[in-house]
Amino acid sequence: MTRRIEDYGMVGDLQTAALVGRDGSVDWMCLPRFDSPACFAALLGDEGHGSWRLGPAAGGECTSRRYRDGTLILETEWDLPEGRVRVIDLMPPRSEQADLVRIVEGISGQVPMTTELRIRFDYGNVVPWVTRDDGALLAVAGPDAVRIDAAVDLTPGDVADGFVHRAQFTVGPGDRVPFVLTYHASHLAAKRPVEAEVALRDTETFWHSWIAGSTYTGPWADAVHRSLITLKALTYAPTGAIMAAATTSLPEEIGGTRNWDYRFCWLRDAAFTLQALVGTGFIDEARAWRAWLLRAVAGDPADLQIMYGLDGRRRLPEYTIDWLPGFEGSAPVRIGNAAAGQLQIDVWGETLDALHLAREAGLETDPEAWHLQKALLKYLEEHWDDLDNGLWEMRGPRRAFVHSRVLAWAGFDRMVRAVEEQGLQDEPVERWRATRDRIHADVLRNGFDAERNTFTQFYGSDGLDAALLLIGQVGFLPWDDPRVVGTVEAVQRELGEDGLLRRYLNDADDQVDGLSGDESTFLVCNFWLVDALHGIGRREEAVALFERLLSLRNDLGLLSEEYDVTTGAHVGNTPQAFSHLGLVNSALRLGRADSTSAKIAGLQARVAQG
C-alpha cells in the first residue's frame, strides 16, 4: 500500500509527538523530545524500523477518524462485518515522563484485534534488550528505555520474526483494553505508568480548558481552533519554543532529495507566531515565545542565526542516516539542518518586527530587551546591503534578495516607531530614520521592474518570489500602491499552478536555490496571497482562496508544508507550523473591517460604473 503524508494524525504531550496512520500504526515518535532520535521510524522506512500497530486482525485502513472536539485526542474507528471498534490515542501533557496511551474500545459485535510492537531506538537502528518487569515489558538500549504496560499478554518473536511483540484479543460492546508506553532514561528506575482512563480524562480536561482561552469567534472557528491546537502541540513547553514541524525528511518531491529536518525553531516565524497568538487571545503563549526569542538571540548580534534548537542551542549539525530509505524511497534522510549557518539578513528585521508587535500587544518590556534590539539594529545598519541566502535558505550563490532588504527596512521602521510612540530620549532616531529611507529608496531603485510592474526576487532577477506578497503587509508600501497591486498580480500569474502558488520558480534564474529536483505549491505562500488579495480590495477572491485552502487539509484538519496539485497529495514535513500560522492569521485578517480594502473596492466599483 502506497502511503500518503496526509494519512497521519498527531498526538503529543507538549514535549514530543507521535504520528498515527489510518491503519492504527504509530510510525513516528521521538523520545524524550521532539528532536530526540526516533524509537518508531517506520515513517521513513518500513515497519522494521520501528512501529506500533494496533487495529483489527483483518488489517486495513480505518473507516473514519477524528479528534475529540477541542482536543488532541485521536479516535480511529473500523466498521467491519464482525462489528465496530475504536482505538483512542493520546499523550497526557507531561509533568515528569512521556506516556503514550492507547485504548481499544469495543462498540458492537465481536472484533478480533491484534497489536504488533517493534521498538527500534536511534531512528530504527538499534534493537533493544527486552525483559519483563512486574508483568510489563522493559526495552533498554544505551541511554533509552521504555516500559510497556498492557491489559493483554505481549508475546515475543525471535530473530527470524524480527523481534516483534504481538498480542491477539477480541473486544465486544463496552470492552476497553488499555496500553501504555512510558519512556525513562535507562540509568534511572522505571516509574509507574499513568492509569489509562485517568490520563484520558485529564488530557481531555487540559485541552478543553486551553482552547477555551481562544477569543476567535469568526466564521472559521473550527479550522482556526484546530490549527491553534496543532500549534500548541508543536510547542516545546519547557522553553516556549514553537518548532516548524514534528518530522524530519518528509520530501518536498516524492522520490526526490529535498528532504530536511524541521524539528527546530525559525526566526522567520516569529512575527507570524506573535500575530496568531496575540490575535486569538493566547497571551501566555505569546509571552513565552517572546521570552524564548530574547534568550535565543542574546549575544553578539553578528552571530544571529536563522534557526535554533528547542532550548535555544545554536549548533544543529546536519548529517544523513543511510539505514533509512526515506518516505516512499525519498532519500537521503537528514538529521540536523546546515541552513542554520546561512546568512539571512531578513531575520534581523523579523526579530525587531516581532518584538515591536510584542510591545504593541502590551507584553512586558524591560530595558535589557531594548538594549538588545539596539544592538541588533546597529549590526543591521552596517550589513543591510550584504548579499545573503534569502528567506528560503537558498544553497546557491548569495544575492541581494528583495525580501531581505524589505525586512531590513521593517527593522528600522519598527525602531523609529517605538521611539516616536513611546517618547524615548537619547536615541539616534534621525540616523535610524535616514537609514530606513535609504533602504527604501534602494529597493525601489533596484528591486522593481517597471516594465513588468512588479518587484523581483532579487536585484536584477527575472524571477519572482511569493515573499513579495508581504511588501504591503509589513507596510513598506500601502496596499493601494500600483506597484504593490502589480506585484500581487504578477506573483499570482507567474507562480500560480492550478490556482495555487509556488514560492518561486527555480529555473527562472538558472537554479536559484542551487538544488536539484522540484517542489510543489507552498501552502503558507497561498495564505499570504489570501492576505494580499484582501489588502488590494479583492475580498471575495481572497475568501474563495481561503476556503479552497481549508479543503486541502486532511480529514483531521492538518496541513503539511506543501501541496502537489497534480496528485492531490500533501508533501513536506507535517504538521507544519508555518502553514497553520498562515491559516490563523488569514482568518483573523479576513474577519477585520479593512478600510483600505473597502476603499479600493469602492474605487473599483466607481471606475466600473464609469
Side-chain angles (χ1 to χ4, degrees):
M1 180 180 66
T2 301
R3 293 176 301 164
R4 299 161 298 187
I5 291 171
E6 61 267 32
D7 286 344
Y8 287 94
M10 177 180 70
V11 296
D13 67 355
L14 310 185
Q15 294 192 39
T16 192
L19 295 192
V20 187
R22 294 182 59 86
D23 59 352
S25 182
V26 178
D27 287 347
W28 182 254
M29 187 178 185
C30 299
L31 289 170
R33 303 187 348 166
F34 291 112
D35 55 358
S36 299
C39 65
F40 298 132
L43 179 71
L44 301 177
D46 58 36
E47 60 186 16
H49 295 107
S51 64
W52 183 6
R53 182 178 176 271
L54 180 57
E61 293 190 352
C62 64
T63 306
S64 64
R65 60 180 181 168
R66 69 181 185 104
Y67 284 117
R68 285 194 181 182
D69 288 344
T71 77
L72 201 67
I73 298 169
L74 179 62
E75 297 185 335
T76 306
E77 295 187 6
W78 288 262
D79 198 349
L80 304 165
E82 300 89 346
R84 189 174 170 204
V85 66
R86 175 184 299 135
V87 173
I88 304 168
D89 286 305
L90 63 127
M91 296 187 72
R94 192 183 308 183
S95 56
E96 296 182 11
Q97 60 197 28
D99 298 288
L100 173 61
V101 177
R102 315 194 74 185
I103 302 172
V104 179
E105 178 185 7
I107 301 173
S108 66
Q110 297 290 319
V111 182
M113 300 290 290
T114 189
T115 187
E116 296 182 352
L117 176 67
R118 298 173 176 84
I119 299 169
R120 302 291 184 266
F121 291 114
D122 192 27
Y123 298 106
N125 191 43
V126 177
V127 178
W129 185 259
V130 180
T131 59
R132 291 197 178 270
D133 177 26
D134 192 24
L137 295 182
L138 184 62
V140 177
D144 302 305
V146 295
R147 172 188 169 115
I148 301 93
D149 288 83
V152 296
D153 187 40
L154 293 163
T155 58
D158 55 19
V159 175
D161 197 33
F163 296 108
V164 59
H165 282 75
R166 290 188 176 89
Q168 294 184 338
F169 54 101
T170 299
V171 293
D175 290 342
R176 296 175 75 86
V177 181
F179 299 79
V180 179
L181 181 152
T182 304
Y183 175 87
H184 66 278
S186 62
H187 66 281
L188 301 176
K191 295 187 177 181
R192 298 298 301 178
V194 295
E195 202 283 311
E197 298 294 345
V198 173
L200 173 60
R201 181 196 65 210
D202 291 348
T203 302
E204 187 165 23
T205 298
F206 169 84
W207 285 109
H208 282 166
S209 176
W210 185 81
I211 198 62
S214 171
T215 57
Y216 180 81
T217 58
W220 302 286
D222 287 346
V224 168
H225 288 162
R226 178 50 52 197
S227 287
L228 288 169
I229 289 171
T230 303
L231 291 167
K232 178 67 171 176
L234 293 172
T235 301
Y236 183 63
T239 64
I242 300 178
M243 67 176 181
T247 56
T248 180
S249 300
L250 289 180
E252 296 174 6
E253 178 185 29
I254 301 298
T257 61
R258 294 173 179 247
N259 318 319
W260 316 108
D261 194 345
Y262 273 23
R263 297 171 298 161
F264 309 113
C265 304
W266 269 253
L267 293 191
R268 71 181 183 193
D269 300 355
F272 299 109
T273 301
L274 284 169
Q275 288 171 11
L277 294 174
V278 171
T280 53
F282 290 103
I283 303 303
D284 287 345
E285 284 73 13
R287 187 179 292 114
W289 168 246
R290 175 186 175 275
W292 176 88
L293 180 64
L294 287 170
R295 292 193 304 271
V297 305
D300 187 343
D303 295 332
L304 195 68
Q305 295 188 176
I306 70 168
M307 71 179 81
Y308 295 85
L310 302 175
D311 52 6
R313 73 182 61 186
R314 292 169 175 263
R315 295 189 183 278
L316 309 173
E318 179 178 301
Y319 61 95
T320 62
I321 47 179
D322 298 332
W323 60 84
L324 286 177
F327 182 88
E328 293 297 306
S330 304
V333 171
R334 291 182 173 92
I335 307 300
N337 200 310
Q342 288 187 349
L343 175 65
Q344 293 183 13
I345 295 298
D346 59 291
V347 299
W348 277 264
E350 284 156 346
T351 301
L352 293 167
D353 185 28
L355 294 173
H356 179 75
L357 282 169
R359 275 194 303 272
E360 288 189 325
L363 301 184
E364 295 89 343
T365 59
D366 60 78
E368 292 307 314
W370 180 248
H371 293 322
L372 175 61
Q373 290 169 76
K374 290 198 296 181
L376 292 172
L377 197 70
K378 186 176 186 302
Y379 179 86
L380 191 58
E381 193 169 13
E382 298 167 356
H383 294 276
W384 66 265
D385 56 353
D386 287 356
L387 303 182
D388 73 337
N389 299 97
L391 171 72
W392 303 124
E393 299 155 23
M394 303 299 193
R395 299 198 177 197
R398 290 181 175 178
R399 319 262 192 170
F401 286 98
V402 170
H403 175 76
S404 295
R405 305 292 169 91
V406 168
L407 265 293
W409 171 90
F412 282 94
D413 179 71
R414 297 336 184 232
M415 292 293 279
V416 169
R417 286 166 55 185
V419 171
E420 293 172 344
E421 293 165 4
Q422 298 180 27
L424 300 175
Q425 303 297 319
D426 302 322
E427 303 295 358
V429 66
E430 291 303 325
R431 193 178 80 233
W432 295 348
R433 188 179 288 114
T435 305
R436 178 187 65 178
D437 295 345
R438 186 161 64 253
I439 297 172
H440 198 272
D442 186 78
V443 172
L444 293 181
R445 182 171 57 253
N446 297 300
F448 183 76
D449 184 337
E451 290 186 8
R452 297 158 66 198
N453 190 32
T454 182
F455 287 91
T456 58
Q457 184 171 38
F458 55 85
Y459 289 3
S461 170
D462 292 324
L464 300 181
D465 186 331
L468 299 170
L469 297 170
L470 300 174
I471 286 174
Q473 191 174 134
V474 302
F476 184 82
L477 289 172
W479 283 116
D480 59 356
D481 188 294
R483 290 165 293 189
V484 173
V485 176
T487 299
V488 173
E489 293 174 343
V491 166
Q492 193 174 19
R493 180 176 61 251
E494 296 188 25
L495 299 185
E497 181 180 359
D498 192 25
L500 298 177
L501 293 184
R502 293 173 174 262
R503 50 182 172 173
Y504 54 85
L505 295 180
N506 199 27
D507 58 1
D509 291 285
D510 191 26
Q511 295 296 109
V512 63
D513 65 13
L515 298 169
S516 61
D518 200 4
E519 58 180 32
S520 299
T521 62
F522 206 82
L523 288 171
V524 75
C525 297
N526 288 276
F527 288 111
W528 293 347
L529 179 58
V530 169
D531 302 339
L533 290 170
H534 179 253
I536 66 173
R538 290 157 57 177
R539 177 178 167 77
E540 289 186 5
E541 189 177 348
V543 170
L545 175 58
F546 182 74
E547 293 185 338
R548 180 183 178 189
L549 292 170
L550 294 186
S551 74
L552 304 184
R553 299 174 301 152
N554 76 356
D555 55 324
L556 297 172
L558 302 181
L559 289 169
S560 63
E561 182 181 37
E562 300 182 13
Y563 179 79
D564 187 330
V565 296
T566 302
T567 63
H570 289 198
V571 283
N573 284 304
T574 197
Q576 177 84 3
F578 219 5
S579 300
H580 286 281
L581 287 169
L583 187 157
V584 173
N585 285 326
S586 289
L588 289 170
R589 192 161 282 109
L590 290 174
R592 298 190 194 114
D594 190 308
S595 59
T596 301
S597 180
K599 181 175 70 175
I600 297 174
L603 178 61
Q604 291 171 336
R606 289 194 296 274
V607 170
Q609 293 170 3

